[in-house]
Amino acid sequence: MKEEMTLLILKPDCVAKSLTGEVLRRFEQSGFGIRALKMTRLSPDLLNEHYAHLRDKSFFPEIIAFMTSGPVVLVALAGEDVVARVRDLVGPTDSRKAAKGTIRGDYGVDVMVNVVHASDSKENAEIELRRFFAPEEIQEPGSPVEKSNR
Ligand code: IDP
Ligand code: MG
């Protein structure tokens, strides 16, 4: 059976504050596996597509400015029920309302500057993974050691 995967974007604030390792550690420690990882800068075109559901909001230009303000880290993360469980680990959109112990509650600033994006449904996860990764960039589960023991 195909494993469930979600798309994470460690946002410019996360990278700028050197929180990349800490955020990845939380996901790995929760039992999820990294299947793809790359640092990049997002184009306004790609962000227009990714945040199309917010295009009519007055703050839309600010989101594009924030998300293009520095490099981000894109992650394909896999595991059982990963989409829903990662949203729980991340916390609600507004960091000020997020509980301590969640990533946004611990490291986010406000409703916009909130450390990490995570797909909100399995359907959107598949669309978003295709948006940011070529199929060959996503690895199969299992280390070479595990594989050689099969
Ligand atoms: P989510 O990231 O929790 O799924 P969405 O509603 O999909 O939240 O919004 C996408 C991103 O747009 C948020 O993570 C945040 O960076 C930004 N955003 C959402 N709502 C606001 C707002 O009211 N003001 C400023 N930025 C916002
Ligand atoms: Mg969203």
Side-chain angles (χ1 to χ4, degrees):
M1 210 187 76
K2 218 176 92 184
E3 44 169 23
E4 184 175 320
M5 270 192 286
T6 196
L7 184 271
L8 309 174
I9 305 175
L10 310 194
K11 296 186 179 186
D13 60 316
C14 180
V15 174
K17 290 173 181 166
S18 300
L19 290 168
T20 301
E22 165 62 12
V23 170
L24 290 175
R25 186 193 66 80
R26 287 191 182 203
F27 293 129
E28 286 192 308
Q29 205 150 64
S30 299
F32 300 117
I34 295 171
R35 299 286 177 264
L37 185 70
K38 65 181 171 191
M39 181 179 256
T40 186
R41 275 174 179 268
L42 298 178
S43 69
D45 278 355
L46 206 53
L47 286 163
N48 273 305
E49 192 182 307
H50 182 66
Y51 284 133
H53 61 295
L54 300 172
R55 213 174 275 171
D56 297 334
K57 305 281 186 190
S58 58
F59 52 81
F60 187 70
E62 289 172 55
I63 297 180
I64 303 302
F66 165 53
M67 292 297 293
T68 56
S69 66
V72 300
V73 175
L74 300 167
V75 187
L77 194 74
E80 208 178 310
D81 211 14
V82 68
V83 173
R85 286 172 60 207
V86 160
R87 292 282 291 192
D88 286 344
L89 290 172
V90 167
T93 309
D94 189 344
S95 307
R96 294 164 303 200
K97 294 181 184 154
K100 288 291 166 204
T102 65
I103 291 171
R104 285 171 169 168
D106 288 346
Y107 301 117
V109 174
D110 55 25
V111 69
M112 186 173 76
V113 181
N114 60 8
V115 195
V116 60
H117 164 84
S119 308
D120 63 4
S121 68
K122 287 189 209 179
E123 296 70 34
N124 282 337
E126 291 193 2
I127 293 167
E128 293 177 358
L129 286 161
R130 273 199 298 274
R131 178 174 296 139
F132 294 103
F133 288 109
E136 64 269 22
E137 290 181 302
I138 298 180
Q139 305 301 313
E140 295 293 324
S143 70
V145 173
E146 285 166 344
K147 284 195 170 161
S148 67
N149 289 337
R150 265 186 212 153

